[in-house]
Amino acid sequence: MFFKRFMPGKGKSVAQAASAADASAPGNTSATTDVADASVINDDGAKNGASVARAVAKAISRKANGVRRPAPATDAAELGFKTTADLTPSPAPVGQDKALEALTFGATMKGSGHHILVTGDTGTGRRTATRTILRAVAGDMQPPDDWVYVSTFATDGAFRALKLPAGTARRFAEKMALAIDQLADALPVAFADADYDLKRRMIEVEQRLTRDDALEALRREAEAQNIALLRTAAGMAVAPILEGKVVKTDVFNAIPEPMRREVEAKIAAVEAQVEAILSDRPEDEKERRTRIGALTEEIAASHVQVALADLNAEFGEIADVASHLAATGRDLIYNVGLFVAHANEGADGTGSTAGRAAGRESSTVRLVKSAAAHPRFARYGVHVMAASSADGSAPIVEEPNPSYSNLFARIELTHDADGLATVARVRPGALHGANGGFLLLDADALLSAGAAVEPLLRALETEQICFDPPTEPIGIVGDEIPELEPIPLNVKLVLVASDASLQQLSASHAALKHMFKSQARFEAEIAHSADNIAKFAGLVAYVAEKHDLRPFGADAVAALVDEAAQRAGEAMLSLPVSDLVDLCRAADHWADNEDRKTIAADDVTHAVRHLYGSDGAERETRRALP
Amino acid sequence: MIAHVAAAGEQSGRVVLWHGGPPTLSRCAIDAAMLLGHTFQAEVESLYIEDQQLFDLAEFPFARTINPGREGWQALPAETLERNLRQLAAALHRQVSDIAEAAGVPCRTRVMRDEPLRALSLACAMNGPWNVVVVCEPVTVSDDARLTSLFEQVRDTTGVVITGPLTHRTTGPVIAIVEQFYRMGPMLKTALRIAETHERDVRLCIVGNAEDELGWMESEARILCADPDLDGRVSVASVLAADDDAAPLADSLRRHRPGLALAQYGGRLIGPETSVRPLTKMLECPLLLVR
């Protein structure tokens, strides 16, 4: 099991010697040694109120009863070493085998829903041990898939979740940004190109050319009947002609009336045809627009295809991603005007090619200056919610402030010139980061979070991360909160709690207690056994090494054991690691004063007196108080 | 033909900017007129010709006109026709005069009433030694006969500048399309004169039916263009247009994107037997058709 790696190799002989001493020592008062990482002094910055009360009560009780159980004297000679330099330093929590076993079991248990509760007083080493074990377990686990949010391009602004292979989400996001930048450069140029311009004007003129053809055909037909179509400054006119010239009125009036009427009828008929040709037909306009739209689409599509080629090559095999890329391509073509408008407007660095070129000086793309970062193109943004780490292990996320937004996500809105809200960024919550691994929370912090507890429980129960913020404002009042597609959740919650905070949490959220299948309880007091003494010695060696202190002599270690025993009484040991560190450092100071190369028992005694006073009860009281 | 146009020292000729037809004006045509006026130190005459046939038609009680985009037919009253046309002419002349002033080209205006080609012929005959007619309205398919008649009836015109519905560009290189060897020198000279005045390059586009003929013409062209004085401003391109097909030539024009093209009337692009239709679909710059 994982916690076995905490066992100090050289401590075995210490355990055997101490065991022999145990058997012969009368009035053995055990002390519990509580182990915590020296760097975590006062885990949450203050001693637990209940434990303080207990310690004070004990002190008062002893003083009141006049009971002073003498601390058992540990025989340094029987510890089996001269100084701690002879030992293998071990940060392992002493005497917490059951807790470590429960932790390891819970962490390695396969399947979902097996959440872990870690309880114990501050200073018992619960957090350090939890982190150590989780790191070891996570290191052997496969990194989970990455997740991103992308727009559905629907009018409601909803987002869909895409699952990507582990470690690829950031690359996907960067490549999409690069594609947008590429189009921001290429599309305006394409639509300013002379070839496009000519084709577009051809379509615009086509209707006129078709009309001209029809008029020309009519002209020839009419001319055969001595009717002319004249294109004049006043417009098109229809006139009777003779030998290619318009007939004079006197000549016309001289012809017989039936003939005149016939000519007038022909003129009227030609005029009707001219009017029909010249009249604007709605379907012509519609056809013109359709053809221009098709031309625009054709030009845009070729560039969009090139821009997305890289993404398609790398991610096109993933079904959901392929469909998103197809939808993105369609949306880009439909909104090609955004790119032209961006180029037209961008005299500043944001929109100009020069500005983007400056932003790409370094080897990484500086998105802050790229077109992709502009609110105009926010709809194409890829919001990375979970990205696997470089070392390829399962994630461990510790959230010190488990508010709703810190757990579930935060949406940042921006507003355009018309006041319309656009999603600028979707920031992931701790649940996203921990998905596929472990989420480490503190019960007191969770209690403070209040509104986040129920949603968290719901998420763990449904195994989904659903974004449904309770009351937190997102943007301006009235802004629509976009819908985020739920993401499947597979996380182990590891909750670190004191007895008091657990009680409070359970009282307010009954379902919470039933969620934890494993409970690792770190005891404040441990057995005063040879094995524990051996581990304690290894811990002292670790503290000395970590804080660059002198090695402790066996007598000094014995003195520390005695101190731990005195605190706990009743054949137990109790010494929070923060106190142990303080004592060790103070003892080192005294040794330094005496020019000793090794810390001796006297130095420890001095340190105890200095830190906690000489009177036993007073010492206990002082130690208990925050 | 163009030799005396291109030569310095000749008495200045005229650029006749002809309007009076449909009210659609080509700004590019006006710009082309200014370009030629400036190049050859020639005066631009804005000539508005009132079509006599229109006045004859207006005498009829049933005379009326129709314009695209407007509702129905409008009566054509003889009483107000002259006034309306004069107002239109005045507006056009003002526009041309303003452009001429900005271009630094001397400009005069005139109104004539007659059958259009006869009026034009008279106007060109009045002054010389050369005239280039610039047709102000974009050509349409109906202008086949009109263009042919123009070249036939207006004997005193050196060349005619036309534009099409797609014409939009007057900046860019000057392209001279040479289909017969003997025209190469004068065409090149004219193109160079225009180009130098406006700091443009020249593309000499040699067109031939057969590879060997084309090759020979191209080599002669390159010799001609090797003159150090030309300073590399002239480039030579050849276009193989078998069976007098105009399509390769049209492609070449599109590719070079000229601001002005010079071509021979009666060549592949346009001639008495050739329809204007293809030009209306590809002409992006003014085209000077020379005899």
Side-chain angles (χ1 to χ4, degrees):
Chain A
M1 293 193 136
F2 291 101
F3 64 85
K4 282 190 176 176
R5 68 182 66 181
F6 293 146
M7 297 286 286
K10 290 193 180 178
K12 282 187 183 174
S13 58
V14 172
Q16 283 160 2
S19 186
D22 271 350
S24 56
N28 202 359
T29 306
S30 300
T32 306
T33 304
D34 296 329
V35 176
D37 189 342
S39 64
V40 184
I41 297 174
N42 297 327
D43 280 350
D44 40 12
K47 291 190 177 176
N48 183 281
S51 65
V52 168
R54 276 201 302 276
V56 170
K58 252 195 215 170
I60 292 170
S61 169
R62 286 203 191 106
K63 190 164 187 178
N65 297 333
V67 173
R68 255 183 85 82
R69 295 194 188 82
T74 305
D75 187 353
E78 291 179 359
L79 291 180
F81 62 91
K82 281 200 176 136
T83 74
T84 53
D86 302 330
L87 301 177
T88 305
S90 168
V94 180
Q96 306 289 357
D97 292 356
K98 268 191 178 171
L100 296 177
E101 189 179 328
L103 248 178
T104 306
F105 172 75
T108 52
M109 187 66 185
K110 286 184 177 19
S112 60
H114 203 100
H115 307 295
I116 305 165
L117 182 62
V118 178
T119 57
D121 291 341
T122 304
T124 55
R126 56 195 177 155
R127 283 183 207 277
T128 305
T130 300
R131 288 191 196 107
T132 305
I133 286 174
L134 291 183
R135 269 198 288 271
V137 175
D140 287 342
M141 287 167 67
Q142 289 297 317
D145 292 315
D146 286 2
W147 285 90
V148 300
Y149 272 123
V150 291
S151 175
T152 57
F153 304 118
T155 48
D156 61 1
F159 284 78
R160 66 183 290 198
L162 291 183
K163 186 168 73 171
L164 295 167
T168 61
R170 292 197 201 286
R171 194 159 69 248
F172 182 76
E174 278 199 5
K175 287 197 168 186
M176 182 62 80
L178 280 172
I180 299 302
D181 280 352
Q182 190 179 333
L183 288 171
D185 283 338
L187 285 174
V189 170
F191 286 102
D193 184 67
D195 281 343
Y196 166 76
D197 186 52
L198 177 62
K199 285 178 185 169
R200 188 191 169 107
R201 281 185 297 109
M202 276 292 297
I203 294 170
E204 303 272 7
V205 165
E206 196 74 25
Q207 187 187 354
R208 182 178 151 186
L209 294 177
T210 306
R211 191 160 60 198
D212 287 346
D213 285 342
L215 285 172
E216 174 62 11
L218 179 62
R219 185 191 67 81
R220 288 180 203 271
E221 194 183 305
E223 224 171 65
Q225 301 176 67
N226 290 320
I227 305 291
L229 252 59
L230 303 178
R231 289 166 64 231
T232 74
M236 293 229 51
V238 181
I241 54 173
L242 190 63
E243 294 174 350
K245 301 239 187 299
V246 174
V247 173
K248 301 281 186 192
T249 47
D250 53 353
V251 171
F252 185 76
N253 289 334
I255 63 176
E257 190 177 331
M259 274 184 72
R260 286 208 306 273
R261 289 215 186 101
E262 191 186 332
V263 170
E264 285 175 23
K266 282 182 189 173
I267 288 172
V270 171
E271 282 180 345
Q273 290 181 74
V274 168
E275 186 172 352
I277 292 169
L278 293 182
S279 64
D280 291 328
R281 298 182 305 162
E283 54 265 36
D284 288 342
E285 175 62 17
K286 189 179 170 189
E287 193 201 328
R288 185 188 68 81
R289 282 202 194 128
T290 303
R291 288 180 65 190
I292 289 177
L295 174 65
T296 303
E297 200 175 302
E298 182 193 330
I299 305 278
S302 64
H303 289 278
V304 166
Q305 189 180 10
V306 168
L308 295 182
D310 215 9
L311 279 159
N312 273 309
E314 186 171 350
F315 299 97
E317 296 291 315
I318 308 167
D320 281 351
V321 177
S323 70
H324 170 69
L325 290 175
T328 301
R330 285 192 297 273
D331 196 81
L332 284 166
I333 292 168
Y334 183 77
N335 286 301
V336 70
L338 290 177
F339 295 87
V340 176
H342 187 69
N344 289 342
E345 147 194 312
D348 62 340
T350 311
S352 70
T353 307
R356 287 196 295 281
R360 289 202 193 102
E361 282 165 6
S362 63
S363 59
T364 56
V365 174
R366 288 168 55 190
L367 297 179
V368 66
K369 286 202 175 183
S370 78
H374 195 280
R376 181 176 274 126
F377 303 113
R379 64 197 287 115
Y380 304 113
V382 174
H383 307 277
V384 177
M385 304 307 286
S388 289
S389 59
D391 65 7
S393 58
I396 302 169
V397 172
E398 204 167 334
E399 178 50 64
N401 178 19
S403 62
Y404 185 89
S405 58
N406 283 348
L407 285 176
F408 283 84
R410 184 192 307 274
I411 294 181
E412 294 174 5
L413 297 177
T414 184
H415 293 83
D416 61 21
D418 298 327
L420 291 173
T422 314
V423 173
R425 200 170 291 118
V426 180
R427 291 198 185 274
L431 282 170
H432 298 98
N435 203 358
F438 302 93
L439 176 62
L440 191 52
L441 296 181
D442 182 82
D444 285 325
L446 196 59
L447 276 167
S448 303
V453 180
E454 282 301 329
L456 174 62
L457 294 180
R458 214 162 32 240
L460 294 173
E461 204 174 289
T462 59
E463 294 180 347
Q464 273 192 334
I465 309 173
C466 291
F467 182 73
D468 184 17
T471 55
E472 288 180 28
I474 302 258
I476 297 171
V477 171
D479 278 344
E480 291 284 329
I481 301 171
E483 200 177 300
L484 303 183
E485 184 184 4
I487 289 179
L489 179 64
N490 176 21
V491 72
K492 275 205 182 126
L493 174 63
V494 181
L495 186 67
V496 179
S498 62
D499 290 338
S501 56
L502 182 63
Q503 204 170 6
Q504 216 173 326
L505 212 54
S506 300
S508 52
H509 304 281
L512 187 72
K513 210 171 177 183
H514 303 291
M515 300 204 68
F516 298 101
K517 303 290 190 291
S518 285
Q519 181 168 353
R521 176 157 190 83
F522 283 74
E523 301 295 345
E525 296 175 349
I526 60 172
H528 189 234
S529 67
D531 190 45
N532 284 344
I533 290 172
K535 288 178 185 172
F536 181 79
L539 179 62
V540 172
Y542 173 77
V543 170
E545 185 185 66
K546 189 174 169 73
H547 291 273
D548 199 25
L549 307 177
R550 290 169 173 74
F552 282 67
D555 58 332
V557 174
L560 287 170
V561 171
D562 292 344
E563 172 61 18
Q566 191 160 41
R567 286 174 181 228
E570 299 292 344
M572 302 294 276
L573 296 172
S574 177
L575 185 60
V577 79
S578 55
D579 288 0
L580 176 63
V581 171
D582 289 343
L583 279 172
C584 288
R585 291 174 68 188
D588 181 76
H589 169 77
W590 289 112
D592 186 49
N593 278 356
E594 301 297 326
D595 284 329
R596 278 198 268 271
K597 289 201 172 103
T598 308
I599 298 170
D602 281 346
D603 300 320
V604 174
T605 306
H606 272 137
V608 169
R609 199 178 302 131
H610 173 76
L611 288 175
Y612 305 117
S614 44
D615 179 72
E618 183 200 344
R619 285 171 57 208
E620 287 203 36
T621 306
R622 283 177 68 181
R623 273 200 301 269
L625 290 173
Chain B
M1 164 280 313
I2 306 188
H4 65 273
V5 170
E10 274 284 347
Q11 186 180 355
S12 293
R14 282 191 321 150
V15 178
V16 179
L17 185 59
W18 169 32
H19 20 216
T24 51
L25 277 191
S26 168
R27 174 58 196 260
C28 290
I30 301 174
D31 288 344
M34 299 305 154
L35 178 76
L36 292 172
H38 189 261
T39 300
F40 297 105
Q41 293 108 49
E43 179 186 72
V44 168
E45 180 173 38
S46 179
L47 176 63
Y48 188 90
I49 300 177
E50 295 171 346
D51 192 342
Q52 178 60 52
Q53 292 194 106
L54 194 58
F55 286 89
D56 294 340
L57 176 61
E59 295 294 326
F60 287 94
F62 52 76
R64 52 189 192 159
T65 58
I66 187 170
N67 273 308
R70 286 198 201 150
E71 290 279 333
W73 294 88
Q74 309 290 322
L76 186 64
E79 309 79 33
T80 55
L81 179 61
E82 182 178 16
R83 190 177 70 234
N84 292 342
L85 290 180
R86 291 292 160 98
Q87 280 175 351
L88 186 59
L92 289 170
H93 287 323
R94 256 196 315 276
Q95 188 180 355
V96 173
S97 297
D98 289 344
I99 295 169
E101 189 180 344
V105 174
C107 175
R108 71 157 82 182
T109 62
R110 181 147 59 136
V111 177
M112 294 174 74
R113 184 185 303 182
D114 202 337
E115 191 275 322
L117 288 179
R118 185 160 62 211
L120 190 62
S121 188
L122 277 170
C124 290
M126 278 182 219
N127 294 295
W130 55 265
N131 296 278
V132 169
V133 173
V134 177
V135 181
C136 216
E137 298 91 22
V139 294
T140 69
V141 289
S142 307
D143 288 319
D144 287 345
R146 188 163 78 133
L147 204 55
T148 304
S149 301
L150 196 161
F151 275 97
E152 282 175 359
Q153 292 181 35
V154 185
R155 306 305 301 176
D156 293 295
T157 182
T158 304
V160 176
V161 175
I162 60 171
T163 57
L166 290 175
T167 301
H168 67 105
R169 184 174 61 230
T170 55
T171 55
V174 178
I175 190 167
I177 299 168
V178 176
E179 300 179 64
Q180 293 167 307
F181 175 69
Y182 73 92
R183 288 180 177 273
M184 193 182 299
M187 294 280 262
L188 178 60
K189 218 167 181 180
T190 306
L192 275 170
R193 178 86 178 262
I194 297 169
E196 276 164 8
T197 312
H198 300 277
E199 294 177 358
R200 301 185 191 189
D201 289 340
V202 171
R203 306 264 186 276
L204 195 59
C205 186
I206 312 296
V207 187
N209 274 328
E211 293 256 14
D212 53 355
E213 175 201 354
L214 192 61
W216 172 75
M217 281 177 64
E218 187 181 338
S219 62
E220 292 297 320
R222 292 194 185 282
I223 292 169
L224 201 61
C225 298
D227 186 346
D229 291 340
L230 293 179
D231 201 23
R233 279 180 291 115
V234 182
S235 59
V236 178
S238 59
V239 176
L240 183 63
D243 301 324
D244 295 335
D245 183 12
L249 185 53
D251 282 343
S252 187
L253 271 179
R254 197 175 296 124
R255 205 164 48 249
H256 290 292
R257 296 185 183 154
L260 178 72
L262 279 67
Q264 161 196 347
Y265 180 72
R268 284 173 179 78
L269 276 181
I270 186 67
E273 307 299 322
T274 320
S275 169
V276 169
R277 188 68 161 87
L279 275 183
T280 62
K281 285 191 149 184
M282 46 77 69
L283 197 59
E284 294 186 78
C285 70
L287 174 63
L288 171 57
L289 293 166
V290 295
R291 289 186 185 278

